Amino acid sequence: MTLSYTRMLDAVWLLLMALTISSALLAESADPSLLVTLFVAISVAIKGGLVVERFMELRTAHPYIRFSMGLFFVVLPLLMLLVFLFPEQIADLTRI
């Protein structure tokens, strides 16, 4: 069974909302830990990828634009994890 384009967008939107709500609930109730940071980083990567692919319709965009946006949602979660794992070193690098 194939979903119509509108139904598929509705399903993606519901998934985005579920990830956003679960991230917000987790941020309000959980203590900072590697597992929480990993969940948030994966959530950001999934949500960014879905928005870029489905709602921004970059599937038909120039490959460089599509690659740049896709790379952003790979690099950003990795930076989130690095900041959690190495906070002092990152602070030293960014200190004026």
Side-chain angles (χ1 to χ4, degrees):
M1 175 169 85
T2 60
L3 293 174
S4 70
Y5 184 72
T6 304
R7 292 253 187 221
M8 188 265 313
L9 285 181
D10 290 343
V12 169
W13 183 82
L14 287 173
L15 177 60
L16 289 170
M17 292 306 297
L19 285 171
T20 301
I21 291 169
S22 62
S23 295
L25 291 174
L26 186 63
E28 290 295 322
S29 62
D31 292 326
S33 68
L34 180 59
L35 188 61
V36 171
T37 306
L38 187 61
F39 174 78
V40 171
I42 290 170
S43 176
V44 166
I46 291 170
K47 287 168 48 177
L50 287 172
V51 168
V52 165
E53 288 293 318
R54 301 299 175 186
F55 292 102
M56 293 177 70
E57 298 185 5
L58 289 182
R59 287 172 283 155
T60 59
H62 192 278
Y64 293 131
I65 295 171
R66 187 170 184 227
F67 176 77
S68 300
M69 289 300 294
L71 187 63
F72 179 78
F73 290 109
V74 171
V75 171
L76 183 66
L78 288 176
L79 290 175
M80 292 168 63
L81 289 171
L82 285 175
V83 167
F84 180 81
L85 293 171
F86 307 105
E88 297 300 322
Q89 294 86 346
I90 301 289
D92 290 340
L93 287 173
T94 59
R95 193 170 290 134
I96 295 177

